[in-house]
Amino acid sequence: MPDISLTIVVVLCLASLAAGWIDAVVGGGGLLLLPAMLLGLPGGTPAAYALGTNKAVAIVGTTGAAVTYARKAPVDVRLAVRIGLAALAGSTAGAFVAAGMSTDVLKPVVMAVLLGVGTFVMLRPAFGTAPSTEPVSARRVLAAIGLAGLGIGFYDGLIGPGTGTFLVLALTALLHFDLVTASATAKIVNCCTNAGALATFAWKGTVYWQLAALMAVFNLVGGMVGAHTALKKGSGFVRVVLLTVVFALVANLAYQQWIA
């Protein structure tokens, strides 16, 4: 465990709690947790340790949220795992590409897409408020595996921030899920991508396991509470959180691109 003060440990644990809640409701918890890790770890610590420890924390909260959702929400676990395996392959490919290029050129594109998505959701109040009564066609399932799995998985390995939010939006649009079911499915997909990323970081030895274990307890509580909140409040509440996270992500990317 790195040599950091008790105050910083407490702050990181509280950030982990809040990130778990946000991630369980609509994705995007990494917007809070990863910057907290980068700021909280001692100066000069390689970024890989922040990324690796972040994944070790996030996978616990994501798994807790996924289990909570699976018990109470109408989740097709087999479909979620199929998309998750495709996302695992996509994230691996994205990580290899990221090693040889600057991702800064892609950030303006991501911002434009997010602004478009946010505008669409605001102008379509019924988006994701109720599931479709029609059966999901094989073509839509394949599209979900390709876009939500391989495509967003590739983005996760290449850049990362907002992956959970993109998954929720893609699953809602492609499979006509309501936002609660989409969030539940996204958590299972996230478990697959997080597991692959964590295995890579663990193999490289860039995980602070003691710090991760402590923060993971708080992330788990946040994730389970967030899942219960989404199930209780329904899709309307998730929609509000979704819009908040989307525009927060745009602001975060804009700051990184033009100010930081």
Side-chain angles (χ1 to χ4, degrees):
M1 185 166 172
D3 184 19
I4 56 179
S5 68
L6 178 60
T7 301
I8 295 298
V9 171
V10 171
V11 170
L12 288 176
C13 287
L14 292 177
S16 184
L17 178 71
W21 187 91
I22 294 170
D23 208 49
V25 174
V26 76
L31 288 172
L32 175 61
L33 186 56
L34 185 55
M37 292 288 299
L38 291 169
L39 292 172
L41 292 177
T45 301
Y49 282 88
L51 293 168
T53 305
N54 173 66
K55 285 298 182 185
V57 173
I59 194 172
V60 176
T62 300
T63 302
V67 171
T68 302
Y69 274 125
R71 288 176 175 174
K72 297 186 178 181
V75 183
D76 187 336
V77 176
R78 291 182 61 187
L79 173 60
V81 170
R82 288 164 66 189
I83 298 172
L85 292 175
L88 176 59
S91 64
T92 302
F96 276 108
V97 173
M101 67 171 289
S102 171
T103 59
D104 288 341
V105 295
L106 296 177
K107 288 179 181 178
V109 177
V110 175
M111 280 186 278
V113 171
L114 281 168
L115 284 172
V117 165
T119 302
F120 173 82
V121 173
M122 284 194 298
L123 296 177
R124 296 284 299 273
F127 179 75
T129 56
S132 173
T133 56
E134 299 178 3
V136 179
S137 67
R139 180 178 297 179
R140 286 189 174 275
V141 171
L142 288 175
I145 292 173
L147 178 61
L150 287 172
I152 296 177
F154 183 84
Y155 168 81
D156 191 23
L158 189 65
I159 302 178
T163 296
T165 306
F166 277 126
L167 282 171
V168 171
L169 290 165
L171 293 171
T172 302
L174 292 172
L175 301 179
H176 293 165
F177 287 164
D178 63 87
L179 288 171
V180 172
T181 303
S183 292
T185 307
K187 291 307 102 188
I188 298 175
V189 176
N190 267 162
C191 286
C192 296
T193 57
N194 283 342
L198 178 58
T200 301
F201 286 119
W203 177 67
K204 292 182 177 180
T206 56
V207 180
Y208 289 130
W209 291 107
Q210 289 177 297
L211 178 61
L214 181 61
M215 293 175 63
V217 174
F218 288 83
N219 196 254
L220 175 62
V221 172
M224 295 179 71
V225 171
H228 280 295
T229 302
L231 289 166
K232 182 179 179 180
K233 297 288 187 179
S235 294
F237 173 78
V238 175
R239 181 176 180 273
V240 173
V241 179
L242 172 65
L243 286 171
T244 302
V245 170
V246 164
F247 290 113
L249 180 56
V250 170
N252 178 271
L253 290 173
Y255 176 81
Q256 291 179 9
Q257 182 73 15
W258 292 301
I259 300 176

